[in-house]
Amino acid sequence: MSTYEIYLSPPFPAPNTKRYVQEAIDSGWMAPAGPFLNRFEALLRAYHGVAAVALNTGTAALHLALKAAGVRAGDVVILPAFTFVATYNAVRYLGAEPVLVDSDATHWHMSVQATERAIVSLKKQGRRIGALLPVHLYGAMAPVDALCNLAQAYGVPLVEDAAEALGVRWGQQPAGTFGVTAALSFNGNKIITTSGGGAFLSADEEVAKKVLYWATQAKQATNGDWCHEEVGYNYRMSNLLAAVGCAQMEYLPHFIERKREIAGHYRRLLKESEQKEHIVWQPVLPQVQPTYWLNCLLFAKPAMREAAMRRLREAGVECRRLWNPLHRQPLARQCLFFTEDDTATRLYAHGLCLPSGHALTEAQQARIAELIQQAL
Ligand SMILES: *Cc1c(COP(=O)(O)O)cnc(C)c1O
């Protein structure tokens, strides 16, 4: 692990964290069950208006979200190439085949046109499409209206990878409530964190019960013994981490407000570079209320991005290129990829994520902006 003076997205301990963790320890529930786990799920449920099951990672949540949507071995699952590898891995855990679609340059998320071409082509080949799996990127949101329409028109379940989108809304409706199932992540770098963790979401209470059952070794109490009918998983979140989660979730409105301030300030600081068309910020669809989990921008030329990244890192500022698309990864090289002009690779070649942590100061932001301007 390299050390930086300013990190990309460090965890921030919300005010009640220590108190809740102490309470969890004192209560004797240092276990994957307990009062904080119930409370954390109740907070998630109240926020989203759907059932929530707290799990030990976002990847586990994705795995069970796909399984609960009915994805089986031999199915195809359609997902964007421009995402983190976890989205892809969850599909592979079920023995399904990931099919990749390109990004739309106007919003970076999976292209609706390319998705429809993929669906039509796969259906023609007689393939069973297990799920459509859009990913909401960096605290913004994919065009869920059009994607939900496609899913409905072709009879394919939609599963949302909302790992980066807790708190984002489409109109008034929160990300993670559009699909039949969805996954959130509370990894250390996300907008709220339980150091590691995730949650499954679904409006279907029966499906949520099933996911809780799968996540706890698929055990049924019979005559005082466990009876097992199905393969299960050990995916439950611990009560200790749920205590951290409660403190974080209560503080979510402050996290979001702060992220929006940081985003606004970056945009003011780099206004001139934007006007000169040296940079553009991640576009946000008009219906979306973003959280700006990470502040992402594209440079006019890849060489500019490289220069900016080098300068920032040398000055002790952690920053990262955007996702290196899946179709470029050795792991996923055999996947079908539906594209017209490989927008995902262009995003990767030009893009950068800037430090966006809760405790970032205006002075630090000014220094980051200055380093970028020097590089330009
Ligand atoms: C973080 C992330 C995940 C995985 O979440 P973990 O909690 O780290 O397992 C999945 N998909 C996307 C897009 C992510 O950013």
Side-chain angles (χ1 to χ4, degrees):
M1 235 179 93
S2 35
T3 55
Y4 292 99
E5 214 174 296
I6 304 174
Y7 284 94
L8 191 70
S9 184
F12 183 86
N16 286 326
T17 307
K18 277 188 190 164
R19 187 157 72 81
Y20 290 175
V21 171
Q22 188 66 53
E23 265 182 56
I25 293 168
D26 294 345
S27 74
W29 287 102
M30 294 208 293
F36 277 107
L37 202 44
N38 299 339
R39 205 164 125 189
F40 185 44
E41 287 176 341
L43 286 169
L44 291 170
R45 176 190 282 269
Y47 193 84
H48 294 93
V50 301
V53 182
L55 302 172
N56 56 9
T57 64
T59 309
L62 266 176
H63 178 190
L64 296 186
L66 289 166
K67 185 175 163 73
V71 173
R72 306 191 299 243
D75 285 356
V76 285
V77 170
I78 302 171
L79 65 147
F82 189 63
T83 183
F84 183 49
V85 72
T87 321
Y88 169 95
N89 282 337
V91 175
R92 292 286 304 270
Y93 295 165
L94 288 160
E97 181 189 326
V99 169
L100 309 175
V101 303
D102 199 6
S103 295
D104 182 325
T106 63
H107 54 73
W108 299 12
H109 296 89
M110 75 195 290
S111 152
V112 175
Q113 290 75 20
T115 302
E116 183 159 25
R117 277 199 289 120
I119 294 173
V120 170
S121 162
L122 291 162
K123 289 228 168 198
K124 208 175 281 173
Q125 293 168 43
R127 299 300 301 269
R128 184 180 183 276
I129 305 172
L132 184 56
L133 178 57
V135 178
H136 305 306
L137 291 166
Y138 303 119
M141 225 172 143
V144 275
D145 53 350
L147 292 170
C148 285
N149 287 343
L150 272 188
Q152 195 146 39
Y154 290 96
V156 178
L158 186 135
V159 175
E160 288 173 271
D161 182 344
E164 304 178 4
L166 172 62
V168 183
R169 285 173 193 268
W170 181 278
Q172 287 309 303
Q173 194 179 334
T177 63
F178 288 84
V180 292
T181 61
L184 299 174
S185 167
F186 315 121
N187 187 32
N189 61 353
K190 298 287 162 48
I191 190 162
I192 76 162
T193 182
T194 56
S195 72
F200 167 87
L201 298 178
S202 177
D204 189 326
E205 300 287 340
E206 289 309 309
V207 167
K209 266 186 211 147
K210 191 84 197 200
V211 163
L212 176 58
Y213 164 76
W214 286 331
T216 50
Q217 306 285 24
K219 51 184 188 257
Q220 292 166 294
T222 337
N223 293 330
D225 286 329
W226 295 124
C227 171
H228 303 280
E229 288 176 5
E230 282 182 70
V231 172
Y233 306 88
N234 190 4
Y235 279 176
R236 195 68 165 133
M237 180 181 279
S238 95
N239 188 59
L240 267 189
L241 298 188
V244 177
C246 286
Q248 291 269 311
M249 196 59 202
E250 286 171 2
Y251 206 62
L252 178 60
H254 300 278
F255 284 126
I256 294 173
E257 198 187 309
R258 187 71 197 103
K259 291 277 186 198
R260 288 182 180 154
E261 269 173 24
I262 290 169
H265 198 53
Y266 269 137
R267 280 150 186 78
R268 281 191 298 278
L269 287 165
L270 289 166
K271 190 92 218 160
E272 207 185 300
S273 304
E274 198 183 1
Q275 279 162 350
K276 287 188 193 153
E277 296 182 7
H278 288 162
I279 61 158
V280 287
W281 294 99
Q282 177 182 5
V284 177
L285 289 167
Q287 301 89 335
V288 175
Q289 294 175 251
T291 61
Y292 303 101
W293 166 57
L294 291 182
N295 287 276
C296 302
L297 70 169
L298 300 181
F299 289 80
K301 297 197 179 88
M304 286 176 170
R305 189 275 311 272
E306 287 300 303
M309 193 167 80
R310 205 175 319 116
R311 229 168 232 274
L312 287 164
R313 287 187 171 173
E314 279 167 11
V317 178
E318 187 187 22
C319 54
R320 218 180 277 161
R321 296 184 189 97
L322 304 183
W323 300 126
N324 190 1
L326 290 170
H327 65 285
R328 297 167 46 91
Q329 302 286 355
L331 173 69
R333 209 162 272 155
Q334 284 87 359
C335 288
L336 288 172
F337 177 44
F338 287 81
T339 176
E340 261 161 33
D341 58 358
D342 202 351
T343 296
T345 295
R346 195 174 57 79
L347 297 175
Y348 169 66
H350 291 251
L352 193 67
C353 305
L354 299 182
S356 303
H358 189 76
L360 195 67
T361 65
E362 289 208 347
Q364 288 175 325
Q365 283 195 267
R367 201 161 126 243
I368 289 164
E370 199 182 299
L371 288 161
I372 292 171
Q373 278 155 344
Q374 283 167 9
L376 291 171

